Amino acid sequence: QVQLVESGGGVVQSDESLRLSCTASGAPLDYGAIGWFREAPGREREGVACITLRVGKTYYSDSVKDRITISRDNTKTTFYLQMNNLKPDDSGIYFCARQRLYEGGTCLPADGYDFWGQGTQVTISS
């Protein structure tokens, strides 16, 4: 079992920044990947960034790749999503999740993610 807790959401103005955190507990995160996803009313769930757990390879969606950075601490218990130059379309609930097995290629699709946090709300006002 893996427990994931997101934090760091809030309300900011356009072009401001936020850093989200995802704190993991329970089973060690040695394999697979951690992904950040977002959901907004009327829009499909979107994988925005992910990082593989063994080598730290990162992947980003095209909509955010120049504005968002995913990272992790050395203990692989806390994962960060640094978001800069935020726009109203970035608003939504942001979730982190664990992908059990990483088998190569991008880890952005939600396939294989088995543990999810409760999410943190991000609201960007124009």
Side-chain angles (χ1 to χ4, degrees), residues 15-29:
D15 300 325
E16 291 187 340
S17 299
L18 276 175
R19 187 175 80 158
L20 306 182
S21 298
C22 171
T23 302
S25 61
L29 299 177

Side-chain angles (χ1 to χ4, degrees), residues 1-115:
Q1 290 283 331
V2 175
Q3 293 79 43
L4 300 170
V5 178
E6 304 92 341
S7 61
V11 181
V12 298
Q13 302 278 341
S14 286
D15 300 325
E16 291 187 340
S17 299
L18 276 175
R19 187 175 80 158
L20 306 182
S21 298
C22 171
T23 302
S25 61
L29 299 177
D30 294 324
Y31 302 96
I34 290 291
W36 282 96
F37 298 82
R38 66 185 180 190
E39 294 182 357
R43 296 165 64 180
E44 293 185 359
R45 176 187 292 170
E46 178 187 12
V48 295
C50 59
I51 183 168
T52 65
L53 291 171
R54 291 201 68 184
V55 298
K57 189 168 178 59
T58 58
Y59 297 88
Y60 299 94
S61 71
D62 288 341
S63 64
V64 304
K65 63 182 179 181
D66 296 326
R67 302 184 291 117
I68 285 182
T69 303
I70 188 171
S71 61
R72 63 184 184 187
D73 69 359
N74 291 334
T75 64
K76 288 191 280 188
T77 58
T78 304
F79 300 82
Y80 304 99
L81 190 70
Q82 177 67 43
M83 305 189 293
N84 301 321
N85 194 23
L86 286 162
K87 306 300 182 185
D89 279 351
D90 294 315
S91 298
I93 302 175
Y94 283 70
F95 300 87
C96 63
R98 193 279 301 259
Q99 185 183 61
R100 182 172 175 270
L101 292 174
Y102 172 68
E103 299 179 314
T106 178
C107 45
L108 283 178
D111 304 336
Y113 283 86
D114 53 358
F115 293 103

